Amino acid sequence: MFDCLVAGEANVDLLMESAAPLEVGREHLAESCHLVLGGSSAVTAHNLARLGAKVSFVCVLGTDLLGRFVEERLREAGVDLGGMRRSRTANTGITMWHSRNRQRAGLTYPGALALLRAGDVPEARLKTARHLHVGHYFLLTNLHRQAPALFRKARRLGLTTSVDCNDDPSGKWDSRLWEVLQHTDVFFPNEREAAALTGEKNPERAARELARLARVVAVKRGAKGALIASGGKLLRVPAVKTNVVDTTGAGDSFNAGFLSRFLRGAGLEDCARAGARAAARSVRRVGGTAAFEAR
Protein backbone atom coordinates (compact mmCIF):
# COMPACT_ATOMS: atom_id res chain seq x y z
CA MET A 1 0.00 0.00 0.00
CA PHE A 2 1.47 3.37 -1.05
CA ASP A 3 1.02 6.50 1.02
CA CYS A 4 0.76 8.62 -2.12
CA LEU A 5 0.20 8.06 -5.82
CA VAL A 6 1.60 11.01 -7.76
CA ALA A 7 0.38 11.38 -11.34
CA GLY A 8 1.85 14.05 -13.56
CA GLU A 9 4.85 15.26 -15.49
CA ALA A 10 8.53 14.42 -15.28
CA ASN A 11 11.22 16.18 -17.25
CA VAL A 12 14.76 17.53 -17.07
CA ASP A 13 15.74 21.06 -16.03
CA LEU A 14 18.83 22.65 -17.58
CA LEU A 15 19.83 25.52 -15.30
CA MET A 16 22.27 28.09 -16.66
CA GLU A 17 23.40 31.33 -15.08
CA SER A 18 25.04 34.21 -16.90
CA ALA A 19 25.67 37.88 -16.22
CA ALA A 20 24.99 38.62 -19.89
CA PRO A 21 21.49 38.91 -21.38
CA LEU A 22 20.34 36.60 -24.16
CA GLU A 23 20.75 38.32 -27.51
CA VAL A 24 19.75 37.13 -30.96
CA GLY A 25 22.84 36.34 -33.01
CA ARG A 26 25.21 36.46 -30.03
CA GLU A 27 26.81 33.72 -27.97
CA HIS A 28 27.77 34.29 -24.33
CA LEU A 29 29.45 32.08 -21.76
CA ALA A 30 27.55 30.79 -18.71
CA GLU A 31 29.05 30.93 -15.23
CA SER A 32 27.28 27.73 -14.15
CA CYS A 33 25.33 24.86 -15.68
CA HIS A 34 23.34 22.07 -13.99
CA LEU A 35 21.24 19.23 -15.43
CA VAL A 36 18.71 18.17 -12.79
CA LEU A 37 15.43 16.32 -12.30
CA GLY A 38 12.55 18.64 -13.18
CA GLY A 39 8.79 18.67 -13.30
CA SER A 40 6.51 19.74 -10.45
CA SER A 41 5.08 16.23 -10.05
CA ALA A 42 8.47 14.50 -10.24
CA VAL A 43 10.10 16.84 -7.72
CA THR A 44 7.21 16.43 -5.29
CA ALA A 45 7.30 12.62 -5.69
CA HIS A 46 11.10 12.50 -5.22
CA ASN A 47 11.18 14.70 -2.14
CA LEU A 48 8.10 13.15 -0.55
CA ALA A 49 9.79 9.75 -0.84
CA ARG A 50 12.97 11.17 0.71
CA LEU A 51 10.85 12.43 3.61
CA GLY A 52 9.81 8.88 4.37
CA ALA A 53 6.57 8.32 2.45
CA LYS A 54 5.94 5.33 0.21
CA VAL A 55 5.39 6.93 -3.20
CA SER A 56 4.23 5.55 -6.54
CA PHE A 57 4.61 7.74 -9.63
CA VAL A 58 2.65 7.61 -12.89
CA CYS A 59 4.16 9.55 -15.79
CA VAL A 60 5.09 9.39 -19.48
CA LEU A 61 8.75 9.53 -20.56
CA GLY A 62 10.49 9.25 -23.90
CA THR A 63 12.83 6.40 -24.77
CA ASP A 64 15.76 8.81 -24.93
CA LEU A 65 18.75 9.54 -22.70
CA LEU A 66 16.87 12.21 -20.76
CA GLY A 67 14.11 9.73 -19.97
CA ARG A 68 16.67 7.32 -18.53
CA PHE A 69 18.13 10.19 -16.48
CA VAL A 70 14.71 10.97 -14.97
CA GLU A 71 14.02 7.30 -14.24
CA GLU A 72 17.39 6.87 -12.53
CA ARG A 73 16.90 9.88 -10.26
CA LEU A 74 13.42 8.77 -9.17
CA ARG A 75 14.45 5.17 -8.53
CA GLU A 76 17.39 6.39 -6.43
CA ALA A 77 14.87 8.15 -4.17
CA GLY A 78 12.87 4.94 -3.75
CA VAL A 79 9.93 6.04 -5.91
CA ASP A 80 7.94 3.16 -7.44
CA LEU A 81 7.68 3.53 -11.24
CA GLY A 82 5.31 0.65 -11.98
CA GLY A 83 2.92 3.12 -13.61
CA MET A 84 5.48 4.75 -15.89
CA ARG A 85 4.77 4.63 -19.62
CA ARG A 86 7.30 5.13 -22.45
CA SER A 87 6.40 7.08 -25.58
CA ARG A 88 8.04 6.11 -28.86
CA THR A 89 6.79 9.25 -30.61
CA ALA A 90 7.84 12.03 -28.22
CA ASN A 91 11.08 12.81 -26.44
CA THR A 92 11.29 13.44 -22.72
CA GLY A 93 10.39 17.03 -21.85
CA ILE A 94 13.03 19.58 -20.93
CA THR A 95 13.02 23.10 -19.54
CA MET A 96 15.95 25.46 -20.02
CA TRP A 97 16.18 28.14 -17.34
CA HIS A 98 18.39 31.18 -17.90
CA SER A 99 19.16 33.12 -14.71
CA ARG A 100 20.61 36.61 -14.63
CA ASN A 101 20.84 39.01 -11.67
CA ARG A 102 18.44 36.83 -9.58
CA GLN A 103 15.84 36.89 -12.35
CA ARG A 104 15.16 34.04 -14.70
CA ALA A 105 13.27 33.01 -17.80
CA GLY A 106 12.37 29.51 -18.91
CA LEU A 107 11.67 27.76 -22.18
CA THR A 108 9.94 24.36 -22.06
CA TYR A 109 9.66 21.60 -24.63
CA PRO A 110 6.71 19.56 -23.25
CA GLY A 111 7.36 16.40 -25.26
CA ALA A 112 6.14 13.28 -23.49
CA LEU A 113 5.20 15.04 -20.26
CA ALA A 114 1.93 16.32 -21.76
CA LEU A 115 0.82 12.83 -22.86
CA LEU A 116 -0.47 11.57 -19.50
CA ARG A 117 -4.08 10.35 -19.71
CA ALA A 118 -6.63 9.46 -17.06
CA GLY A 119 -6.40 5.92 -18.42
CA ASP A 120 -2.80 5.80 -17.16
CA VAL A 121 -4.27 5.88 -13.64
CA PRO A 122 -6.76 2.97 -13.66
CA GLU A 123 -8.92 2.04 -10.69
CA ALA A 124 -6.66 -0.90 -9.83
CA ARG A 125 -3.70 1.46 -9.39
CA LEU A 126 -5.72 3.99 -7.39
CA LYS A 127 -6.64 1.22 -4.98
CA THR A 128 -2.96 0.76 -4.13
CA ALA A 129 -2.70 4.22 -2.51
CA ARG A 130 -4.20 6.36 0.23
CA HIS A 131 -3.74 9.70 -1.51
CA LEU A 132 -3.67 11.04 -5.10
CA HIS A 133 -1.57 14.07 -6.02
CA VAL A 134 -1.43 15.68 -9.47
CA GLY A 135 1.23 18.30 -10.22
CA HIS A 136 1.47 20.99 -12.91
CA TYR A 137 -2.14 20.46 -13.91
CA PHE A 138 -2.17 22.97 -16.76
CA LEU A 139 0.63 21.24 -18.67
CA LEU A 140 -1.19 17.89 -18.63
CA THR A 141 -3.41 18.73 -21.59
CA ASN A 142 -4.36 15.11 -22.37
CA LEU A 143 -5.65 14.71 -18.82
CA HIS A 144 -7.97 17.72 -18.66
CA ARG A 145 -11.11 16.19 -20.16
CA GLN A 146 -11.19 13.24 -17.75
CA ALA A 147 -9.53 14.92 -14.74
CA PRO A 148 -12.77 15.64 -12.81
CA ALA A 149 -13.84 12.01 -13.24
CA LEU A 150 -10.42 10.80 -12.05
CA PHE A 151 -10.65 12.88 -8.87
CA ARG A 152 -14.25 11.79 -8.25
CA LYS A 153 -13.18 8.16 -8.60
CA ALA A 154 -10.27 8.65 -6.21
CA ARG A 155 -12.59 10.17 -3.62
CA ARG A 156 -15.13 7.35 -4.09
CA LEU A 157 -12.38 4.81 -3.46
CA GLY A 158 -11.49 6.54 -0.21
CA LEU A 159 -8.37 8.43 -1.27
CA THR A 160 -7.67 11.99 -0.24
CA THR A 161 -6.58 14.24 -3.11
CA SER A 162 -4.37 17.22 -3.90
CA VAL A 163 -3.41 19.23 -6.96
CA ASP A 164 -0.87 21.89 -7.90
CA CYS A 165 -1.81 23.89 -11.00
CA ASN A 166 1.47 25.78 -11.65
CA ASP A 167 1.52 28.30 -14.48
CA ASP A 168 -0.93 28.10 -17.40
CA PRO A 169 0.96 28.66 -20.69
CA SER A 170 -2.37 29.09 -22.51
CA GLY A 171 -3.41 31.96 -20.23
CA LYS A 172 -6.95 30.55 -19.92
CA TRP A 173 -6.70 29.45 -16.27
CA ASP A 174 -9.50 26.91 -16.55
CA SER A 175 -9.09 23.55 -18.36
CA ARG A 176 -11.73 22.04 -16.03
CA LEU A 177 -9.62 22.82 -12.96
CA TRP A 178 -12.65 24.36 -11.25
CA GLU A 179 -14.45 21.02 -11.49
CA VAL A 180 -11.39 19.19 -10.17
CA LEU A 181 -11.23 21.49 -7.13
CA GLN A 182 -14.69 20.35 -6.06
CA HIS A 183 -13.14 16.92 -5.42
CA THR A 184 -9.83 18.18 -3.98
CA ASP A 185 -8.71 18.04 -0.35
CA VAL A 186 -5.60 20.24 -0.74
CA PHE A 187 -4.90 22.80 -3.47
CA PHE A 188 -1.35 24.19 -3.76
CA PRO A 189 -1.27 27.41 -5.88
CA ASN A 190 1.36 30.08 -5.42
CA GLU A 191 0.37 33.69 -4.86
CA ARG A 192 0.48 34.69 -8.53
CA GLU A 193 -1.50 31.65 -9.63
CA ALA A 194 -4.16 32.24 -6.97
CA ALA A 195 -4.55 35.82 -8.21
CA ALA A 196 -4.81 34.71 -11.85
CA LEU A 197 -7.42 32.10 -11.02
CA THR A 198 -9.65 34.36 -8.94
CA GLY A 199 -8.93 37.85 -10.23
CA GLU A 200 -8.17 38.82 -6.61
CA LYS A 201 -4.89 40.64 -6.08
CA ASN A 202 -5.25 40.32 -2.32
CA PRO A 203 -3.84 36.87 -1.46
CA GLU A 204 -6.09 36.42 1.58
CA ARG A 205 -9.25 37.04 -0.42
CA ALA A 206 -7.94 34.78 -3.21
CA ALA A 207 -7.26 31.99 -0.71
CA ARG A 208 -10.74 32.29 0.80
CA GLU A 209 -12.34 32.30 -2.65
CA LEU A 210 -10.52 29.11 -3.69
CA ALA A 211 -11.37 27.48 -0.35
CA ARG A 212 -15.04 27.64 -1.31
CA LEU A 213 -14.23 24.71 -3.62
CA ALA A 214 -11.18 22.82 -2.29
CA ARG A 215 -11.29 21.68 1.35
CA VAL A 216 -7.85 23.20 2.09
CA VAL A 217 -6.01 25.84 0.07
CA ALA A 218 -2.30 26.43 0.70
CA VAL A 219 -1.15 29.59 -1.08
CA LYS A 220 2.65 29.60 -1.36
CA ARG A 221 4.21 33.08 -1.03
CA GLY A 222 7.95 32.44 -1.15
CA ALA A 223 9.81 34.48 1.45
CA LYS A 224 6.44 35.62 2.85
CA GLY A 225 5.53 32.10 3.90
CA ALA A 226 2.14 30.55 3.19
CA LEU A 227 -1.56 31.21 3.70
CA ILE A 228 -3.75 28.25 4.62
CA ALA A 229 -7.50 28.68 4.09
CA SER A 230 -10.00 26.07 5.24
CA GLY A 231 -13.46 26.01 6.75
CA GLY A 232 -13.74 29.80 6.79
CA LYS A 233 -10.50 30.16 8.75
CA LEU A 234 -7.18 31.61 7.58
CA LEU A 235 -3.78 30.55 8.93
CA ARG A 236 -0.52 32.39 8.25
CA VAL A 237 2.72 30.42 8.43
CA PRO A 238 6.07 32.21 8.06
CA ALA A 239 8.86 31.05 5.78
CA VAL A 240 11.97 29.51 7.34
CA LYS A 241 14.96 31.87 7.07
CA THR A 242 17.83 30.28 5.19
CA ASN A 243 20.63 30.91 2.73
CA VAL A 244 19.02 30.92 -0.73
CA VAL A 245 21.10 29.40 -3.53
CA ASP A 246 18.39 28.46 -6.06
CA THR A 247 14.59 28.59 -5.81
CA THR A 248 13.91 25.95 -8.49
CA GLY A 249 11.38 23.46 -7.10
CA ALA A 250 10.82 25.28 -3.81
CA GLY A 251 7.04 25.23 -4.24
CA ASP A 252 7.08 21.54 -5.17
CA SER A 253 9.19 20.84 -2.10
CA PHE A 254 6.62 22.71 0.00
CA ASN A 255 4.00 20.32 -1.40
CA ALA A 256 6.14 17.34 -0.37
CA GLY A 257 6.71 18.64 3.14
CA PHE A 258 3.04 19.49 3.62
CA LEU A 259 1.89 16.08 2.34
CA SER A 260 4.47 14.23 4.45
CA ARG A 261 2.58 15.40 7.54
CA PHE A 262 -0.91 15.48 6.02
CA LEU A 263 -0.64 11.77 5.20
CA ARG A 264 0.05 11.10 8.89
CA GLY A 265 -3.09 12.93 10.00
CA ALA A 266 -1.32 16.04 11.31
CA GLY A 267 -3.07 19.38 11.81
CA LEU A 268 -2.91 22.06 9.12
CA GLU A 269 -0.41 24.26 10.96
CA ASP A 270 1.92 21.31 11.43
CA CYS A 271 1.54 20.44 7.73
CA ALA A 272 2.24 24.00 6.62
CA ARG A 273 5.31 24.35 8.83
CA ALA A 274 6.65 21.07 7.44
CA GLY A 275 6.07 22.51 3.97
CA ALA A 276 8.00 25.66 4.88
CA ARG A 277 10.90 23.60 6.23
CA ALA A 278 11.03 21.49 3.08
CA ALA A 279 10.98 24.59 0.86
CA ALA A 280 13.81 26.15 2.88
CA ARG A 281 15.81 22.93 2.61
CA SER A 282 15.28 22.87 -1.15
CA VAL A 283 16.64 26.36 -1.88
CA ARG A 284 19.98 25.65 -0.21
CA ARG A 285 21.12 23.61 -3.23
CA VAL A 286 20.84 24.00 -7.01
CA GLY A 287 17.77 22.24 -8.43
CA GLY A 288 14.59 21.05 -6.76
CA THR A 289 15.87 17.72 -5.42
CA ALA A 290 19.60 18.07 -4.68
CA ALA A 291 19.01 18.97 -1.02
CA PHE A 292 16.97 15.78 -0.58
CA GLU A 293 19.35 13.35 -2.27
CA ALA A 294 21.27 10.79 -0.23
CA ARG A 295 24.72 11.92 0.85
Side-chain angles (χ1 to χ4, degrees):
M1 193 68 175
F2 295 102
D3 296 312
C4 184
L5 170 62
V6 178
E9 90 295 10
N11 65 287
V12 169
D13 281 346
L14 177 62
L15 311 174
M16 304 186 74
E17 185 170 1
S18 170
L22 294 180
E23 299 175 81
V24 176
R26 292 289 310 279
E27 179 179 2
H28 297 285
L29 298 180
E31 282 81 47
S32 66
C33 179
H34 300 270
L35 189 71
V36 300
L37 177 66
S40 172
S41 306
V43 171
T44 295
H46 179 286
N47 295 350
L48 181 56
R50 286 297 191 194
L51 290 171
K54 294 181 179 179
V55 180
S56 179
F57 187 39
V58 177
C59 66
V60 184
L61 297 174
T63 59
D64 53 1
L65 178 63
L66 295 183
R68 294 194 292 276
F69 174 89
V70 169
E71 181 179 358
E72 180 181 287
R73 292 296 182 272
L74 289 168
R75 289 196 188 280
E76 286 176 351
V79 176
D80 173 80
L81 295 176
M84 181 184 70
R85 177 164 62 89
R86 292 282 192 181
S87 170
R88 296 185 179 278
T89 59
N91 290 329
T92 301
I94 182 170
T95 297
M96 183 189 74
W97 291 102
H98 173 252
S99 299
R100 177 174 178 260
N101 298 331
R102 291 190 174 273
Q103 293 185 321
R104 68 177 188 170
L107 183 65
T108 294
Y109 162 70
L113 69 82
L115 301 182
L116 185 77
R117 306 179 302 243
D120 292 316
V121 195
E123 184 169 315
R125 185 160 294 281
L126 283 172
K127 288 180 177 179
T128 67
R130 298 190 295 113
H131 182 89
L132 170 68
H133 175 75
V134 172
H136 214 323
Y137 179 85
F138 285 122
L139 274 188
L140 304 175
T141 52
N142 273 17
L143 180 68
H144 294 163
R145 188 172 63 86
Q146 292 296 326
L150 174 62
F151 273 68
R152 280 197 304 269
K153 183 188 297 183
R155 279 281 194 79
R156 176 174 58 80
L157 293 172
L159 284 75
T160 48
T161 59
S162 58
V163 63
D164 191 342
C165 64
N166 293 86
D167 191 27
D168 183 5
S170 74
K172 296 178 181 178
W173 297 96
D174 187 357
S175 303
R176 305 197 72 177
L177 176 64
W178 297 102
E179 297 173 64
V180 168
L181 292 180
Q182 296 177 46
H183 311 287
T184 297
D185 289 290
V186 187
F187 180 37
F188 291 111
N190 65 25
E191 187 171 1
R192 188 182 67 81
E193 293 154 3
L197 285 164
T198 62
E200 287 281 2
K201 293 184 178 180
N202 182 289
E204 296 183 2
R205 288 199 294 268
R208 291 183 187 277
E209 180 70 20
L210 292 168
R212 295 172 63 182
L213 295 175
R215 183 165 69 90
V216 178
V217 174
V219 178
K220 297 169 286 189
R221 307 183 68 203
K224 298 177 183 177
L227 290 172
I228 313 299
S230 180
K233 298 180 180 179
L234 193 68
L235 172 68
R236 299 171 182 82
V237 174
V240 175
K241 293 183 179 180
T242 189
N243 179 41
V244 178
V245 174
D246 175 39
T247 60
T248 302
D252 310 317
S253 300
F254 179 96
N255 299 349
F258 188 105
L259 290 175
S260 72
R261 298 299 300 155
F262 181 82
L263 294 171
R264 299 175 188 174
L268 293 182
E269 182 173 357
D270 186 2
C271 294
R273 290 188 181 279
R277 289 194 298 271
R281 177 177 173 179
S282 172
V283 301
R284 295 170 192 153
R285 300 281 296 278
V286 174
T289 61
F292 293 83
E293 291 172 1
R295 298 180 182 177

